[in-house]
Amino acid sequence: MAFLKYTLIRLALFAPLFALFAYLQLGWLLAVLCAGMMSFAISFLFFQKQRDAATATLHQRFAGKAKPLRSAGEVADADAEDRLVDANPDIAVRKDSRPKDS
């Protein structure tokens, strides 16, 4: 959530700056570059707390400390498999083997 918040702050800075530079007829490429650099500088100087929170969130996600993200379909499949195995103890589930292609 912190990463999304910081991204939205940067986008909220970029959009009006881009509109301003486009209005000043700097050209599309130069307007994008100037707006990008200025929004980076402003967010770097004034939004350190949000940037640090976003960085901590990304570090936690990619360091392997976060819970895995699973879709509702994956959760439902896992629950169905668990119920099947609980109801039939003679069924063995091998996660390490894959079916052979024919």
Side-chain angles (χ1 to χ4, degrees):
M1 189 67 172
F3 181 75
L4 179 63
K5 183 178 179 181
Y6 184 65
T7 302
L8 290 175
I9 289 171
R10 298 263 321 255
L11 184 62
L13 288 171
F14 176 82
L17 288 170
F18 173 73
L20 174 70
F21 291 130
Y23 177 74
L24 294 175
Q25 298 178 353
L26 290 179
W28 293 105
L29 181 62
L30 192 57
V32 167
L33 290 174
C34 290
M37 289 189 308
M38 289 189 71
S39 65
F40 167 75
I42 292 168
S43 64
F44 187 79
L45 292 173
F46 298 110
F47 296 107
Q48 180 179 0
K49 187 169 111 176
Q50 289 84 359
R51 183 181 69 243
D52 291 343
T55 303
T57 302
L58 288 177
H59 177 68
Q60 181 183 11
R61 169 59 57 199
F62 292 111
K65 297 177 185 175
K67 294 181 182 178
L69 298 175
R70 297 186 350 176
S71 68
E74 290 173 328
V75 171
D77 287 346
D79 290 341
E81 290 172 359
D82 292 342
R83 283 193 305 274
L84 177 67
V85 171
D86 290 342
N88 302 306
D90 57 326
I91 295 177
V93 178
R94 295 186 185 145
K95 294 181 180 178
D96 59 342
S97 64
R98 294 182 181 216
K100 297 188 187 229
D101 294 334
S102 52

